[in-house]
């Protein structure tokens, strides 16, 4: 290809653009990223492309095996469950409940949690100390237990699950952002900025935030996986979404008795959960590595 | 050391206090027939005095005091957790060392791929898969419960493995192996989380230590890799891993609750879930306080253990680093 660059000077990318360039070299990471985009699209347009409506039950096709097995039919690509519901449609609808729900809760708690964390991190003294100890208390309780406690007050249900997971994730973000901001604030280049007369807002925007992107990425990855695991676990325990909502964990919980008869009703929804979490982890870890390398 | 223990205890007590306040407020919110005098402080005083004397209230479902219910079933959960931690240490440390030594190599790649799978798999689904394959398909392990119904073992400690050996029944060894078989699958499910964590930490820690000068000195002396790892590498790489293992305890305990539900293990998990179904609030609240206090206690214990083992950390505390 012809080189249009007339000047000898090398173009230097910004650190974040450089990180993105590094990430593109990572083949597995890119595959996972495309898969993640695919899941996101599926989550948004799922209801329009699912072959059957959410509550469609076909009494003439109970416990059909997946299409690639003997006795399977291609109209029920992944087979059906004991009420004749098409598994493929159920899993597509479930993406909205499980992945979409997790995505929304994580986005909200990321916004609110980091706002609190930044305010706490930029301040010092009594205010910061109270926040610190309060968060330590909350973090000593595992997120799922916290969610179960909140559910026990609010009562089971899908919306309450999301609320509980949101509340359980908040301290995670707040704590991590608080720590990162606090650590960064004590470094010398920030002191130099301050000596130059920068306002706190300016220090935050140009000094701190670009340097704690890694914290945001790794915490978001962790939060997304733990949100999906918690939502599905609560669904499985019968405390989250209730049937007929095809939440992936809920789908698994009523297939317990079908383990013998129809193993595909157990393996396929679980596979959906596993693959989703796997690609989130791969993308998150790849981005983190790329950002760490790009910073150097 | 004594000063540090006192300071750590202080934090523990304050955290428990905050926890009790949260639990108290929840109870006030939920239980309508709670005798409210209108004054929140005197209510709290009554509440905390009852708690301190070990009175967690009476379970609405079973009619027993909540604390005695919890103490009766908690050993089953604890047995599972302890076994999971033992497995995670036995498997995690060697795998972590191999991965750390061949950082970037094939072995490392293989171990890290398996670890990534372990982090991503939902515990209840993994449990169901294992049950499908090993219990139903191959028939190697029992599907559920703690011990076969044929064995009648009196409860002494609540830990089945110990109880079977302590009992004077003629079939005590058969009973012991039977409870081991029952433990196998739940332990495997539960061990995935701490094992992946141990592998990651040991790997990072070993590959950092191996670049240091004292290792080069040991190599120059002519020690082989095994000796270097055994005498120098592990001794410096392991202590920093201990606190992260303690932090895993909370997650293991909650995962145990899910695993127990799948395997019908009579532990605290099914009990809590059942209490939520029945809206048995004094049981929920007692269980929550008990688990949270136990997790805090475990965290504190691992912190102190770390301090006893790791002299570098001790120096740090006294400002001598």
């Amino acid at each position: 290809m012809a080189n249009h660059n007339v000047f000898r000077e090398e173009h230097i990318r910004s650190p974040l653009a450089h990180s993105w360039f590094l990430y593109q070299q990572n083949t597995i990471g890119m595959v996972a990223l495309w898969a993640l985009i695919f899941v996101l699209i599926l989550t948004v347009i799922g209801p329009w492309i699912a072959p059957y409506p959410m509550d469609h039950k076909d009494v003439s096709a109970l416990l059909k095996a997946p299409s690639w097995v003997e006795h399977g039919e291609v109209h029920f690509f992944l087979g059906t469950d004991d009420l004749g519901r098409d598994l493929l449609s159920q899993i597509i609808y479930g993406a909205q409940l499980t992945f979409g729900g997790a995505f929304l809760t994580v986005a909200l708690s990321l916004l609110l949690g980091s706002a609190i964390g930044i305010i706490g991190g930029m301040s010092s003294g009594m205010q910061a100390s109270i926040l610190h100890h309060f968060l330590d208390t909350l973090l000593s309780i595992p997120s799922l237990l916290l969610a179960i406690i909140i559910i026990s007050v609010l009562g089971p249900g899908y919306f309450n699950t999301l609320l509980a997971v949101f509340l359980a994730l908040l301290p995670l973000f707040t704590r991590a952002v608080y720590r990162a901001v606090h650590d960064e604030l004590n470094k010398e280049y920030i002191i130099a900025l301050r000596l130059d007369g920068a306002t706190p807002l300016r220090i935050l925007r140009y000094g701190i935030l670009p340097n704690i992107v890694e914290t945001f990425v790794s915490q978001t990855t962790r939060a997304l996986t733990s949100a999906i695991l918690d939502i599905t676990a609560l669904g499985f325990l019968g405390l989250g979404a209730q049937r007929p909502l095809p939440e992936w964990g809920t789908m698994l919980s009523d297939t317990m008795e079908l383990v013998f008869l129809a193993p595909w009703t157990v393996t396929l929804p679980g596979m959906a959960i596993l693959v989703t979490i796997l690609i989130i982890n791969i993308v998150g870890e790849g981005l983190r590595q790329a950002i760490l390398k790009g910073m150097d | 050391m004594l000063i540090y223990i006192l300071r750590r205890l202080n934090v523990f007590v304050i955290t428990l206090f905050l926890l009790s306040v949260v639990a108290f407020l929840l109870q006030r919110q939920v239980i309508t027939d709670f005798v409210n005098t209108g004054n929140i402080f005197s209510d709290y005083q009554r509440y905390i005095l009852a708690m301190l004397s070990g009175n967690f209230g009476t379970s609405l479902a079973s009619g027993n005091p909540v604390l005695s219910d919890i103490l009766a079933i908690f050993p089953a959960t604890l047995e599972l957790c302890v076994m999971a931690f033992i497995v995670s240490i036995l498997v995690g440390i060697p795998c972590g060392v191999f991965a750390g030594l061949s950082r970037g190599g094939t072995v490392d790649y293989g171990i890290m791929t398996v670890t990534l799978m372990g982090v991503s798999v939902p515990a209840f689904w993994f449990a169901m898969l294992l049950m499908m394959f090993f219990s139903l398909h191959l028939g190697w392990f029992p599907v559920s419960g703690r011990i076969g119904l044929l064995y009648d073992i009196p409860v002494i400690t609540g830990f089945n493995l110990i109880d079977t050996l302590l009992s004077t029944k003629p079939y005590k060894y058969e009973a012991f192996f039977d409870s081991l078989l029952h433990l196998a699958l739940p332990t495997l499910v539960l061990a995935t989380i701490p094992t992946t964590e141990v592998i990651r930490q040991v790997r990072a820690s070993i590959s950092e230590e191996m670049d240091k000068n004292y290792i080069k000195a040991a190599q120059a002396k002519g020690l082989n890799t095994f000796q270097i790892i055994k005498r120098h590498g592990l001794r410096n790489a392991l202590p920093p891993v201990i606190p992260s293992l303690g932090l895993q305890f909370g997650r293991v305990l909650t995962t145990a609750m899910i695993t127990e539900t799948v395997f019908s293990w009579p532990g605290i998990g099914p009990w809590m879930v059942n209490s939520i179904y029945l809206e048995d609030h004094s049981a929920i609240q007692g269980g929550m306080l008990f688990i949270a206090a136990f997790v805090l206690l475990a965290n504190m214990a691992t912190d102190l253990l770390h301090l006893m083992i790791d002299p570098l950390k001790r120096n740090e505390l006294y400002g001598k680093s």
Side-chain angles (χ1 to χ4, degrees):
Chain A
M1 212 169 80
N3 190 358
H4 297 295
N5 195 354
V6 189
F7 302 103
R8 277 285 187 79
E9 285 140 54
E10 238 175 80
H11 173 68
I12 298 174
R13 301 184 191 88
S14 76
L16 281 185
H18 186 59
S19 302
W20 172 236
F21 172 75
L22 285 176
Y23 184 76
Q24 283 174 315
Q25 318 296 99
N26 175 355
T27 320
I28 299 176
M30 282 312 276
V31 171
L33 187 64
W34 282 112
L36 191 63
I37 292 171
F38 174 73
V39 175
L40 260 176
I41 292 174
L42 201 67
T43 307
V44 177
I45 65 165
W48 288 285
I49 60 165
Y52 296 92
M54 192 170 91
D55 43 10
H56 177 82
K57 297 182 181 96
D58 193 339
V59 196
S60 62
L62 301 183
L63 292 176
K64 277 266 179 246
S67 54
W68 56 87
V69 188
E70 232 183 312
H71 309 304
E73 277 178 41
V74 87
H75 342 284
F76 302 107
F77 188 67
L78 297 182
T80 59
D81 65 4
D82 52 340
L83 293 178
R85 288 175 290 203
D86 177 43
L87 265 186
L88 178 65
S89 317
Q90 297 274 307
I91 288 177
I92 291 175
Y93 279 104
Q96 211 161 49
L97 294 169
T98 307
F99 182 72
F103 196 82
L104 280 184
T105 33
V106 169
L108 282 178
S109 59
L110 174 67
L111 281 180
L112 189 60
S114 18
I116 302 173
I118 287 171
I119 293 169
M122 297 292 280
S123 62
S124 56
M126 196 62 186
Q127 201 181 341
S129 171
I130 289 175
L131 188 71
H132 188 82
H133 283 291
F134 186 65
L135 287 176
D136 267 353
T137 313
L138 280 182
L139 276 182
S140 63
I141 310 174
S143 72
L144 185 63
L145 183 64
L146 205 58
I148 289 181
I149 293 166
I150 297 168
I151 290 275
S152 75
V153 176
L154 299 174
Y158 179 62
F159 180 74
N160 289 349
T161 308
L162 292 192
L163 194 62
V165 171
F166 167 72
L167 290 176
L169 283 180
L170 260 187
L172 198 84
F173 277 117
T174 312
R175 181 63 198 273
V177 173
Y178 170 84
R179 252 239 170 92
V181 170
H182 205 80
D183 286 351
E184 214 62 33
L185 207 57
N186 290 330
K187 289 189 181 163
E188 280 176 354
Y189 72 95
I190 297 291
I191 296 174
L193 265 184
R194 192 174 291 151
L195 285 177
D196 282 346
T199 58
L201 212 60
R202 205 180 160 77
I203 293 178
L204 183 69
R205 170 71 186 81
Y206 293 101
I208 294 175
L209 284 187
N211 286 302
I212 59 169
V213 177
E214 192 259 327
T215 311
F216 282 115
V217 170
S218 63
Q219 288 306 316
T220 310
T221 314
R222 253 183 80 188
L224 255 181
T225 55
S226 98
I228 293 179
L229 284 176
D230 287 358
I231 290 176
T232 51
L234 286 170
F236 180 76
L237 290 177
L239 303 175
Q242 308 285 331
R243 274 307 204 173
L245 285 184
E247 198 273 311
W248 291 341
T250 315
M251 282 172 77
L252 279 172
S253 81
D254 49 46
T255 58
M256 269 291 264
E257 58 264 39
L258 297 177
V259 167
F260 233 159
L261 266 177
W264 60 90
T265 56
V266 176
T267 43
L268 294 174
M271 214 56 186
I273 304 176
L274 174 68
V275 169
T276 313
I277 295 177
L278 207 57
I279 54 183
I280 291 171
N281 274 331
I282 294 174
V283 171
E285 182 61 21
L287 278 179
R288 203 179 68 87
Q289 301 274 355
I291 288 170
L292 281 183
K293 257 192 228 158
M295 294 269 179
D296 288 344
Chain B
M1 186 74 186
L2 183 71
I3 294 173
Y4 181 75
I5 293 177
L6 286 179
R7 255 171 49 199
R8 197 70 184 75
L9 268 177
N10 184 26
V11 173
F12 177 66
V13 169
I14 289 177
T15 320
L16 271 188
F17 167 72
L18 279 174
L19 212 63
S20 75
V21 170
V22 173
F24 167 71
L25 290 177
L26 283 182
Q27 191 188 38
R28 239 178 109 89
Q29 205 70 44
V30 170
I31 302 180
T32 40
D33 59 349
F34 186 69
V35 197
N36 283 324
T37 56
N39 184 351
I40 197 162
F41 293 105
S42 64
D43 279 355
Y44 180 72
Q45 193 187 4
R46 233 158 5 93
Y47 169 83
I48 198 77
L49 284 177
M51 283 284 161
L52 286 178
S53 56
N55 175 12
F56 279 48
T58 310
S59 161
L60 296 173
S62 70
N64 298 329
V66 171
L67 193 62
S68 72
D69 269 4
I70 294 176
L71 288 180
I73 54 173
F74 194 64
T77 305
L78 202 58
E79 186 175 35
L80 209 57
C81 294
V82 169
M83 288 300 282
F85 271 107
I86 292 174
V87 169
S88 74
I89 287 169
L90 289 183
V91 177
I93 291 177
C95 285
V97 170
F98 281 128
L101 283 182
S102 74
R103 191 152 197 168
T106 329
V107 178
D108 180 37
Y109 198 72
I111 291 178
M112 289 324 280
T113 309
V114 176
T115 310
L116 187 64
M117 294 291 276
V119 178
S120 308
V121 73
F124 53 91
W125 184 61
F126 189 41
M128 285 164 92
L129 282 190
L130 287 180
M131 206 165 155
M132 255 164 78
F133 189 67
F134 288 107
S135 305
L136 296 177
H137 188 67
L138 295 175
W140 288 356
F141 298 104
V143 176
S144 64
R146 285 182 84 187
I147 192 164
L149 294 172
L150 295 175
Y151 304 105
D152 174 34
I153 301 294
V155 177
I156 304 168
T157 55
F159 296 95
N160 252 351
L161 289 183
I162 302 174
D163 280 357
T164 47
L165 289 182
L166 283 180
S167 77
T168 49
K169 297 280 164 67
Y171 45 72
K172 66 180 196 180
Y173 292 109
E174 287 89 337
F176 177 75
F177 285 115
D178 192 56
S179 53
L180 260 187
L181 278 183
H182 278 86
L183 262 173
L185 290 185
T187 306
L188 191 58
V189 172
L190 205 52
T192 42
I193 289 173
T195 310
T196 51
E197 187 64 25
V198 170
I199 291 177
R200 285 181 169 191
Q201 300 276 349
V202 171
R203 170 178 178 262
S205 175
I206 275 277
S207 65
E208 187 190 329
E209 288 298 323
M210 289 310 274
D211 286 341
K212 291 197 174 159
N213 280 335
Y214 70 87
I215 297 284
K216 284 180 193 141
Q219 279 167 340
K221 274 198 307 195
L223 296 183
N224 62 30
T225 317
F226 177 72
Q227 284 168 318
I228 292 175
I229 293 289
K230 191 174 141 234
R231 292 199 194 155
H232 302 285
L234 275 185
R235 285 185 191 201
N236 290 299
L238 283 191
V241 178
I242 295 173
S244 72
L245 204 61
L247 287 178
Q248 287 298 306
F249 195 83
R251 265 186 77 200
V252 170
L253 206 59
T254 43
T255 316
M257 291 167 66
I258 300 170
T259 317
E260 283 167 358
T261 315
V262 180
F263 287 103
S264 312
W265 189 266
I268 201 142
W271 182 79
M272 271 294 261
V273 173
N274 208 23
S275 306
I276 294 176
Y277 284 141
L278 298 173
E279 301 199 1
D280 184 354
H281 286 290
S282 46
I284 297 170
Q285 195 203 37
M288 165 204 146
L289 272 180
F290 188 84
I291 296 175
F294 199 83
V295 170
L296 287 176
L297 204 64
N299 286 353
M300 188 173 75
T302 40
D303 260 12
L304 292 181
L305 183 72
H306 181 205
L307 210 62
M308 272 156 64
I309 292 178
D310 194 352
L312 289 176
K313 174 81 183 172
R314 270 205 302 271
N315 277 352
E316 222 170 85
L317 275 182
Y318 296 126
K320 278 193 248 168
S321 60

